[in-house]
Amino acid sequence: NALVALCLGAGEHEKADQAATHGMAFSLLHGILGSAIAIAIMPSFLGRFTTDAEVLSMGLTYSHIVFGFATVNMASLAFEKIFQSVGRMKVTMVALIVGCVGNIILDPLLIFGIGPFPAMGIAGAALATGLGQVVGGVLPLIYFLRPNNSLLRLTGKPTLEAKPILKACGNGSSEMMSNIASSLVGMLYNFQLLKYIGEDGVSAYGVLMYVQFIFVAIDIGYSIGCAPIISYHYGARNHPELRNLLMKGLKVMGILGIVMTIAAISLSGTLANIFVGYDATLCELTRHAFHLFSFAFLLAGFNIFLSSFFTALNNGGVSAAISFLRTLVFQAASVILLPMALDVDGLWWAASAAEALAFVVSIGFLLAMKRKYHYFDET
């Protein structure tokens, strides 16, 4: 995505076409190989988590069908990034909405068998998910096959070159790190919560994670939407506009941070009641936890935006460092150390502490790299 936008900004349209075409080819190959490997290892993998024959059978049925659509899903993700690069987000948005709505409609039809549709149970749920992903891969393909005014063309014979593929993977390593870290830190949180509170703590943490994603989705969406524009102007060496995008992004993240923190604190009781209102003790625990956890939203947007900013500048190393420290190192350290001083409340303050430390690192990188990228230059 960053490379395509950089090439377009520099006026190198042929290189941009090649990057998009090769990226699409790699995504499809990744989908084919990944689905084949996943389907092959899934029986032994699931067998490590359950010995119940019925549960194992259902898990295999669902996973095999979903992984069967992995190639289409990869194509959908690749097209999404391509459309971001050329400013055609409406196509992606339409494909996403149609796919999600289709999944919602197909779920009851295929699971329970309504009208002419047969009842398929767990297989129906998997099939509905897969067919929803097909939309995201097919609609964008139709767009490119028809005459259009896009700045990109999927042309030429794609080749798989190790160096650019590894560089692209390295530039996107921050996103990979975020997903891996969230799983590892989630497990660490659960271990600590079981130690200090018990099962109610795990339930409260589950609510926090669901609600947190709703709040930070705005930060993530803004950052992802800005990335191709940042890459384009960096490629065009348009330093004043790069400065403008950076300053606007920081202002937006600051405003969003304040608004979301106030909203989260104000709504902590209401949100807890929606999710766990059936248990008064658990509801109060969740409300208290979310009240403390909410302060993390003050700085989360800055860190998300600046990590995405450096990815857009094709500096995967800095982006990955911010993401790695923010989502894994600082989070894990806070979850382990803060409860020693603050008891249970230390677990709920851990996210805020991690964001504060990551903010210091992000600003440090921003100041250290200013001469290389000229994003503070006014001319």
Side-chain angles (χ1 to χ4, degrees):
N1 186 25
L3 180 59
V4 171
L6 280 169
C7 292
L8 289 174
E12 299 176 342
H13 291 268
E14 186 176 345
K15 287 186 177 180
D17 292 344
Q18 291 175 351
T21 304
H22 296 170
M24 177 59 68
F26 178 69
S27 296
L28 292 175
L29 180 61
H30 181 201
I32 294 170
L33 293 178
S35 60
I37 294 171
I39 290 172
I41 68 172
M42 197 52 61
S44 60
F45 180 77
L46 290 179
R48 295 177 181 272
F49 292 89
T50 180
T51 57
D52 188 304
E54 184 178 0
V55 173
L56 181 60
S57 175
M58 293 173 66
L60 289 174
T61 298
Y62 186 89
S63 61
H64 284 172
I65 295 175
V66 168
F67 283 124
F69 286 94
T71 303
V72 178
N73 188 30
M74 289 295 176
S76 175
L77 293 173
F79 274 126
E80 178 185 340
K81 297 304 180 184
I82 289 173
F83 280 114
Q84 286 176 7
S85 302
V86 296
R88 292 291 188 273
M89 289 305 298
K90 288 184 179 179
V91 179
T92 302
M93 183 178 69
V94 170
L96 180 62
I97 292 174
V98 173
C100 290
V101 172
N103 189 358
I104 293 171
I105 295 173
L106 288 173
D107 265 333
L109 295 178
L110 298 179
I111 293 174
F112 303 109
I114 300 176
F117 296 92
M120 301 174 64
I122 193 71
L127 188 59
T129 300
L131 291 175
Q133 295 170 349
V134 168
V135 177
V138 172
L139 284 184
L141 179 62
I142 294 173
Y143 177 88
F144 273 114
L145 291 177
R146 295 172 60 252
N148 62 81
N149 59 353
S150 170
L151 295 175
L152 281 177
R153 296 289 183 273
L154 296 180
T155 59
K157 183 179 179 181
T159 57
L160 296 176
E161 301 176 28
K163 187 176 180 180
I165 288 174
L166 291 175
K167 186 174 181 179
C169 291
N171 194 40
S173 59
S174 59
E175 286 74 15
M176 178 190 72
M177 191 64 244
S178 294
N179 286 284
I180 294 175
S182 63
S183 298
L184 295 176
V185 171
M187 289 188 287
L188 182 58
Y189 255 110
N190 287 335
F191 281 125
Q192 289 287 79
L193 287 165
L194 285 171
K195 175 183 176 182
Y196 282 90
I197 306 176
E199 294 180 357
D200 278 358
V202 175
S203 299
Y205 176 70
V207 174
L208 263 59
M209 290 301 98
Y210 280 118
V211 176
Q212 178 204 34
F213 185 78
I214 295 173
F215 277 81
V216 301
I218 302 173
D219 296 331
I220 295 171
Y222 181 87
S223 301
I224 291 175
C226 287
I229 305 174
I230 293 168
S231 296
Y232 181 90
H233 287 290
Y234 175 62
R237 299 294 185 266
N238 189 352
H239 298 142
E241 185 57 30
L242 195 61
R243 180 179 184 275
N244 181 45
L245 289 167
L246 174 60
M247 293 298 105
K248 282 186 177 179
L250 293 176
K251 289 178 182 177
V252 169
M253 291 300 124
I255 294 170
L256 285 175
I258 294 172
V259 172
M260 286 194 293
T261 301
I262 294 173
I265 293 173
S266 303
L267 296 171
S268 58
T270 303
L271 292 170
N273 190 60
I274 291 173
F275 285 93
V276 291
Y278 56 85
D279 186 316
T281 303
L282 178 57
C283 186
E284 175 56 26
L285 172 63
T286 305
R287 185 206 63 77
H288 175 71
F290 193 52
H291 189 92
L292 302 181
F293 188 90
S294 298
F295 289 96
F297 299 134
L298 272 174
L299 299 176
F302 290 107
N303 297 323
I304 292 170
F305 174 76
L306 289 175
S307 177
S308 177
F309 182 76
F310 282 106
T311 297
L313 295 178
N314 210 26
N315 192 328
V318 170
S319 178
I322 294 173
S323 182
F324 177 75
L325 291 171
R326 169 182 172 256
T327 60
L328 184 59
V329 176
F330 294 151
Q331 282 263 21
S334 298
V335 170
I336 293 171
L337 298 176
L338 286 184
M340 297 179 183
L342 303 175
D343 199 47
V344 175
D345 280 353
L347 291 169
W348 309 130
W349 281 112
S352 299
E355 295 292 357
L357 293 170
F359 178 74
V360 174
V361 172
S362 298
I363 296 300
F365 276 123
L366 189 66
L367 296 176
M369 295 289 173
K370 63 181 180 180
R371 292 184 179 179
K372 180 177 181 179
Y373 296 108
H374 306 285
Y375 39 66
F376 286 141
D377 294 357
E378 296 184 5
T379 58

